[in-house]
Amino acid sequence: VMYCLPKGTKYNGSSNWKGWGELPGRRTFYSGDAACNSLSLIMHEIGHNLGLDHSTEDGNNYGDETGMMGRSKKKSDGP
C-alpha cells in the first residue's frame, strides 16, 4: 500500500524525509508529490518491503549507486 502524504508531514520527529518503507512489510510512505512520483524512490521503498536493506559502500549507508537500494540519481530508467 502506497501512502502519499503532504510534504512536511513529520515522521520520527522530522519533516525532512522523502520516503519510508516497512522492512519487511506492505506499506510505503512518501512526503510530497515529487516523492510520490519518483520511480527510483518508489522502487527503493518497495525494496525495503521485500526485505532489502540499503546498499552500503565504504561505510556510507547509501554509498553503492549501482542499484536501487543505494542513493538514487533521480533517473526513471535505472539506478
Side-chain angles (χ1 to χ4, degrees):
V1 178
M2 179 178 175
Y3 295 93
C4 291
L5 305 173
K7 187 172 181 148
T9 300
K10 287 196 174 190
Y11 167 71
N12 221 15
S14 173
S15 58
N16 187 24
W17 62 281
K18 292 182 179 145
W20 180 82
E22 294 177 330
L23 177 62
R26 296 179 180 203
R27 299 181 300 172
T28 57
F29 302 85
Y30 305 90
S31 178
D33 290 341
C36 288
N37 291 305
S38 171
L39 181 58
S40 60
L41 180 59
I42 292 167
M43 292 303 299
H44 177 92
E45 300 309 335
I46 289 173
H48 287 312
N49 290 160
L50 297 172
L52 300 176
D53 210 339
H54 293 142
S55 296
T56 304
E57 185 174 293
D58 297 329
N60 181 347
N61 198 25
Y62 297 94
D64 181 0
E65 297 177 355
T66 62
M68 289 299 190
M69 296 313 292
R71 182 154 322 275
S72 169
K73 296 205 183 220
K74 298 184 180 181
K75 294 180 183 177
S76 62
D77 60 350

